[in-house]
Amino acid sequence: MIGKKIPIVVRLLDIINANKDFPAMSRTVALVSKQTSSDSDASVTELTNTILDDFALSNKLLRMVNTAFYIKYHGAGRINTVSRAVYILGFGKIRDAALSLMLFEHIKNKSLALELREAFIISFMSGVVAKEMGKKLGIKDIEEAFICSIFHDLGKLLIRFYLPEEQRKIKELAAAQDITEDEAAPDVTRASYDTVGMEVAKNWNFSDSIVYCMRKIPLYKLVKPTTDMENIRSLVLLSNKLCELINKAKPDDWEKTLATFKHRFDVCFRSGEKTLADVLEVSYSEIKSYCDNFGFSMDNSHFLQNLGLLLKGPEGLKKDKKLSDAAAKHPMQILDSLLDGEEETSQVLTPDDILTKGILEIANAMLESFSLNDILRMILEVLYRGMECSHIIIGIKTAKESYMEGRFGFGQDIGKLVKGFRFQIESSSDDVFNISLNKDSIVLINNVYDIEVQSCIPTWLRTTFDVRTFIVIPITLKKVPVAVIYGDWADVDQKAPQPKRLRYVKTLRNQAMLAIKHYT
């Protein structure tokens, strides 16, 4: 077990596993710990599936990528599917957007202690600063810098979140001895903040780069980096330290504080006189956009108020507040307006909305430079979300043998299920899959335990899938089977056979046929 020799880490992991409420847990951990290449079909499908596995996250993410901040990256019509968002914006931006969302949702938690909320905001802001500074400096992987910077103080956040008594003792010791909390922590917990963070991060399978960037180095020991990873770690250390200084700074001392920090910064990176100020301005605007879009008042954060005061002065903040009050009286949509004149709202889309908007988006995507897998992934996603399936899988006919084999899909444990999705194509077979392919007809089994359908349910399906309702959607070219889409529901689903929904299914099936015909 990771951290076996560090009692505080063992204790933390036990508490975390029992509660599972820390924002970096569960799906967010999966998002940031991806180690596969961003241009791999497998990684794109995995990332999309991770997001789709959380209904609330999916809807909030789609709302987010249609805000003014992200529109400048895609410049296309409204994005209605996570699959298309991943393709257009790229693996890195979607990963960062999802992570930002999860952190911001946690920051909005009113029951969270003020000090802890501030710690989350500072960590988030340090990530934004690292990303913006990375752009200025030509850092190759700014997405990595963003994530590494957010998690730089993971150990401190965990102890504050789960072990408030230990945190209180650390603060008292630091004050009594006039040292930093980082210096005081080992005397209380028998491990430094960064050691705790690194051990937990390893247990969560975080990437080596995130773990590497957690190791704290005093700024006076920083030297000019010689590798890409050292570049990112130096940037992470500097962005976190800058945000710490902002939190404590007083307006009268700000210029002196910034000049001292800039001296340390120049040891690692060459930059112009205005670089730091410009980065802070842009970062402040970006975090303000997050706050505006997701209902968090900047007035609730001392750190953000202090940053605004340092950047704009008291008069500037008063002006911002007047504009904010006016906007509250006359709310304006930041979201990219309108698809065919329809005003966008923040309401959650209904399944019918998802199906209709998804069909339109797929039709538009087929006119662009999407690959076949991109189109099929979008079709599967629309079916998965719109039909509210438990699982959705596409099987493709093998080239040499007459078999259908699972290619990819969405749903819980989908990797294992895709591997188990394999059957022989036989014109004489009476199982439901071959019946569907031979007749070129969609088949819906509403209850697998009905006596009338028992004989046509294949053994491999019973042993691999634990379902009550499923649908088979054949895809043929000139009556020759080329693929099949399978969707299921864990319980008997009364909505699945509704005529309106089945019409949507037929349209999506036709789009899949056109895509395969066009791309093969």
Side-chain angles (χ1 to χ4, degrees), residues 159-327:
I159 289 174
R160 281 183 174 173
F161 194 81
Y162 289 112
L163 302 173
E165 183 59 24
E166 280 78 357
Q167 178 62 28
R168 182 185 63 79
K169 291 177 181 177
I170 291 170
K171 285 188 68 176
E172 289 176 353
L173 181 62
Q177 297 186 7
D178 194 23
I179 57 177
T180 66
E181 287 187 30
D182 291 277
E183 293 169 323
D187 288 337
V188 176
T189 62
R190 299 293 180 265
S192 64
Y193 281 143
D194 51 351
T195 298
V196 170
M198 292 166 74
E199 290 301 312
V200 172
K202 290 174 187 175
N203 185 273
W204 286 350
N205 296 317
F206 271 34
S207 68
D208 291 342
S209 55
I210 296 176
V211 176
Y212 175 75
C213 288
M214 286 181 184
R215 176 68 70 190
K216 294 184 182 297
I217 298 174
L219 291 191
Y220 68 85
K221 288 187 177 181
L222 279 178
V223 295
K224 188 171 182 61
T226 58
T227 66
D228 289 342
M229 202 61 247
E230 286 180 4
N231 267 331
I232 290 176
R233 183 170 71 170
S234 298
L235 186 57
V236 166
L237 288 163
L238 289 162
S239 63
N240 273 268
K241 181 56 68 176
L242 179 58
C243 288
E244 283 182 23
L245 290 174
I246 290 168
N247 195 42
K248 299 173 183 176
K250 296 178 180 179
D252 293 344
D253 299 330
W254 177 232
E255 287 189 11
K256 182 179 177 182
T257 301
L258 197 60
T260 302
F261 178 81
K262 188 178 184 306
H263 169 70
R264 296 295 181 193
F265 185 88
D266 286 343
V267 171
C268 298
F269 304 105
R270 288 182 176 273
S271 64
E273 287 295 322
K274 288 184 62 186
T275 299
L276 283 177
D278 289 347
V279 164
L280 288 175
E281 287 277 4
V282 172
S283 300
Y284 181 79
S285 296
E286 183 171 338
I287 204 166
K288 185 177 185 303
S289 177
Y290 278 104
C291 290
D292 290 344
N293 281 310
F294 296 100
F296 178 77
S297 173
M298 296 178 77
D299 293 341
N300 293 332
S301 168
H302 163 77
F303 170 80
L304 294 177
Q305 284 287 295
N306 208 35
L307 176 58
L309 189 63
L310 295 171
L311 290 174
K312 302 184 179 184
E315 293 306 313
L317 280 184
K318 285 178 186 176
K319 183 179 178 182
D320 276 356
K321 185 155 185 5
K322 286 180 182 178
L323 289 173
S324 177
D325 291 344

Side-chain angles (χ1 to χ4, degrees), residues 379-399:
I379 291 169
L380 287 195
E381 180 188 335
V382 172
L383 283 167
Y384 178 66
R385 293 171 58 215
M387 296 292 286
E388 301 176 288
C389 298
S390 299
H391 306 98
I392 194 91
I393 292 173
I394 187 164
I396 304 294
K397 183 179 179 296
T398 56

